[in-house]
Amino acid sequence: MNPQEYYYRVIDRLKNCYQFSHYLIAAGNELAAEVHDPVFPAIAEPVDQLEKYTLQRGLQVHLPVIGERSQSVLMPLDFEIFLGQENHKLYADKNTQKRLFNQIIPVVRFLEDLFRSRGIPYLLDYTPSGGHILFQNLLGYRATEALKGIGFLEEDLIKACNYIDPYDIRRLYGTSLDAAYVFSGIGKIAEYISLLAIEAFKENESRGLFPVVISDTHDRCINFDNSWIEGSPFMRSIRSPFSLHKKNQEKYGKYDQPPLVDVIGTYFDGKSANEQIDMDFIIDCMWDLEKAADHAQRFSGFIPCSNETLIDFINEYKSSDLYLFHLDFESQKDIPRGFAVEYAKKEKNIAESTSRMLYFPNPMALQPKKITGFVYDFLINADWKPKHIANILRDLYQNPSFNWTQDFFKYPAEEKANFWARTYSAFALWKTGRLNV
């Protein structure tokens, strides 16, 4: 079965994934000549073009996080195995992938139990390296209002959300600040879930298993890829359920293989689950488009919406040390723009590698493995406030002399800096026993 034939079998279900969306993101090397970004060739198109990019062109397709006219906000919890320079092993051989998946399945089951024990609806979509847990949050509902209530927006992010561009379908209507606050709120919930998992599997490394971390801070780890939380909500998307997954070909050169495919494992409506727990079967589907198309018939493609059970989980987060830390972080006074780096250069209680990043931040200040050590050094060894560490990153990002290629208008510098400093400060405090979850 070729990609077009596969998409023909699942197209009705794929369309249902876009229930609240007015556009899609199509991605693939085939688009390299049509777009400006050769690193991630992708194009945003009206959702009525879905058949063109799937049935005709056989591309990967991604689902926007923000729904049409800000009517919804998608939770795209993303977790994966990360193997550094050996990441190709997940895509080179099915049996090797199955063996590696044994490391992440306990985390998957932990997450499923977390959601089911609280009655929170979700869809679990497996990818060749891990999975996504998805649920929609509709504006105007009580649970979504509760998410909005824990959100926080920086001034530069507010400006980015308010900006309307009639030539960019992602910014055609702007992003309502209500939706942006909800996006911030689901980011905090995702961070809380990540720390719960890190706590639950904190003995992994001592047992010879992959440690559970946030972003790829270790060469071999189970990674909660929370980078989607950082940045403007209108720029965020996640590969859609039922999409082809061509990383084996496009990133690792396995053109002798057919494209892989993402495969749904569970649809939980808050009370009962339609699920497939045989991981050998799930992985077999990833490598066999016909088997994947047959399995897809079990699911409608609709992504479940959160209900009021989410409010209880938000209250659980609000009773945690992490919530208190977030409140404290957001209340801390900023160092005026342009001064933080100069103060940091005078700090004596940091390592040489940390000091070097102040002078040569590009690309280190964008790399999780470097940022986590940088934040730990200033927070734990030099006793800086987390917000002031964020101010260092902010000033580095806003200095054009470092020749950044990052678009700090679409991905605002202050918000980006706050995200990384907040995330890794919380992790450092947990690691040193100063923050409990």
Side-chain angles (χ1 to χ4, degrees):
M1 177 177 283
N2 66 32
Q4 287 79 5
E5 291 169 333
Y6 164 76
Y7 273 133
Y8 180 81
R9 291 280 309 281
V10 305
I11 189 63
D12 289 343
R13 288 156 174 78
L14 181 60
K15 287 179 179 177
N16 290 341
C17 296
Y18 290 82
Q19 179 183 12
F20 302 114
S21 303
H22 65 290
Y23 72 93
L24 62 97
I25 305 291
N29 289 348
E30 300 94 329
L31 294 168
E34 303 171 42
V35 300
H36 299 296
D37 184 356
V39 177
F40 181 66
I43 190 168
E45 291 289 331
V47 75
D48 62 11
Q49 298 296 301
L50 184 61
E51 292 188 4
K52 171 184 173 182
Y53 288 99
T54 55
L55 296 180
Q56 295 179 31
R57 300 189 65 176
L59 300 180
Q60 301 171 98
V61 286
H62 294 238
L63 187 64
V65 165
I66 301 296
E68 183 174 13
R69 296 182 184 272
S70 299
Q71 67 179 310
S72 61
V73 181
L74 177 68
M75 161 65 93
L77 190 67
D78 187 355
F79 49 93
E80 62 187 4
I81 299 167
F82 180 72
L83 301 175
Q85 297 300 313
E86 297 185 322
N87 229 46
H88 64 276
K89 290 183 176 180
L90 290 160
Y91 300 86
D93 175 75
K94 181 170 64 174
N95 291 328
T96 301
Q97 184 199 23
K98 285 182 178 180
R99 177 176 55 80
L100 289 165
F101 249 71
N102 289 332
Q103 294 249 15
I104 201 172
I105 292 308
V107 177
V108 175
R109 300 296 172 242
F110 170 85
L111 293 172
E112 290 206 85
D113 182 66
L114 184 151
F115 282 93
R116 290 197 204 184
S117 64
R118 293 158 176 81
I120 302 172
Y122 69 91
L123 185 146
L124 167 62
D125 191 34
Y126 286 104
T127 75
S129 61
H132 305 146
I133 286 183
L134 309 173
F135 58 85
Q136 292 282 9
N137 300 278
L138 299 182
L139 272 291
Y141 285 76
R142 288 185 66 235
T144 311
E145 287 296 306
L147 285 171
K148 186 175 76 174
I150 59 173
F152 177 83
L153 301 179
E154 292 82 2
E155 287 301 317
D156 59 356
L157 184 57
I158 290 172
K159 291 177 183 177
C161 288
N162 283 335
Y163 183 78
I164 293 174
D165 184 348
Y167 302 104
D168 183 347
I169 196 168
R170 290 168 293 196
R171 310 184 81 174
L172 195 59
Y173 310 114
T175 299
S176 78
L177 297 188
D178 282 350
Y181 276 111
V182 172
F183 179 78
S184 172
I186 64 170
K188 290 180 177 178
I189 292 301
E191 185 181 346
Y192 179 56
I193 292 170
S194 303
L195 283 176
L196 289 175
I198 289 169
E199 172 72 26
F201 295 95
K202 62 185 177 183
E203 304 300 331
N204 265 22
E205 198 163 13
S206 65
R207 295 167 54 209
L209 301 173
F210 294 163
V212 179
V213 299
I214 296 176
S215 293
D216 49 359
T217 55
H218 288 59
D219 286 338
R220 298 172 71 82
C221 61
I222 296 169
N223 158 21
F224 277 86
D225 187 2
N226 289 354
S227 58
W228 60 266
I229 301 169
E230 173 267 306
S232 301
F234 55 82
M235 293 301 297
R236 291 308 182 190
S237 65
I238 196 160
R239 201 169 40 259
S240 175
F242 309 110
S243 174
L244 295 179
H245 191 125
K246 296 188 176 184
K247 194 177 287 186
N248 62 325
Q249 297 177 342
E250 297 184 351
K251 187 170 183 178
Y252 301 113
K254 303 296 181 181
Y255 287 100
D256 58 329
Q257 299 174 354
L260 303 180
V261 64
D262 290 352
V263 179
I264 293 178
T266 304
Y267 180 98
F268 179 65
D269 64 6
K271 295 181 179 179
S272 60
N274 176 6
E275 62 182 335
Q276 173 56 260
I277 62 173
D278 183 341
M279 287 309 302
D280 284 347
F281 178 82
I282 290 288
I283 292 175
D284 286 344
C285 287
M286 290 182 191
W287 292 77
D288 185 326
L289 293 181
E290 187 165 1
K291 185 175 283 191
D294 290 341
H295 174 66
Q297 307 311 306
R298 291 183 52 175
F299 302 95
S300 69
F302 289 111
I303 296 171
C305 296
S306 61
N307 58 28
E308 295 196 2
T309 60
L310 185 60
I311 298 173
D312 292 333
F313 188 57
I314 293 169
N315 288 334
E316 182 182 323
Y317 152 74
K318 290 174 73 173
S319 68
S320 73
D321 286 357
L322 182 64
Y323 175 67
L324 295 177
F325 168 76
H326 286 160
L327 289 180
D328 183 57
F329 182 91
E330 290 159 7
S331 68
Q332 290 170 14
K333 297 290 186 181
D334 288 297
I335 297 174
R337 294 179 187 275
F339 288 91
V341 172
E342 295 309 311
Y343 295 156
K345 288 178 178 178
K346 298 174 184 177
E347 177 59 60
K348 304 298 184 184
N349 298 307
I350 56 174
E352 182 181 346
S353 57
T354 300
S355 179
R356 179 176 173 78
M357 190 163 143
L358 297 170
Y359 295 89
F360 306 99
N362 189 1
M364 289 188 290
L366 297 174
Q367 297 171 335
K369 193 172 183 179
K370 301 292 186 182
I371 298 172
T372 186
F374 181 88
V375 171
Y376 187 97
D377 217 5
F378 272 100
L379 180 73
I380 304 301
N381 296 329
D383 200 29
W384 277 52
K385 288 185 177 296
K387 178 61 75 66
H388 296 166
I389 302 170
N391 295 155
I392 301 170
L393 293 172
R394 175 204 65 196
D395 286 357
L396 292 173
Y397 294 151
Q398 292 183 335
N399 186 338
S401 69
F402 294 123
N403 298 314
W404 302 106
T405 57
Q406 179 79 260
D407 183 341
F408 288 120
F409 183 59
K410 287 185 175 179
Y411 301 93
E414 184 181 6
E415 188 280 334
K416 178 187 288 290
N418 281 354
F419 166 76
W420 289 116
R422 187 194 79 195
T423 297
Y424 287 132
S425 290
F427 180 75
L429 292 172
W430 170 84
K431 193 172 183 178
T432 55
R434 306 182 203 183
L435 185 149
N436 297 311
V437 291

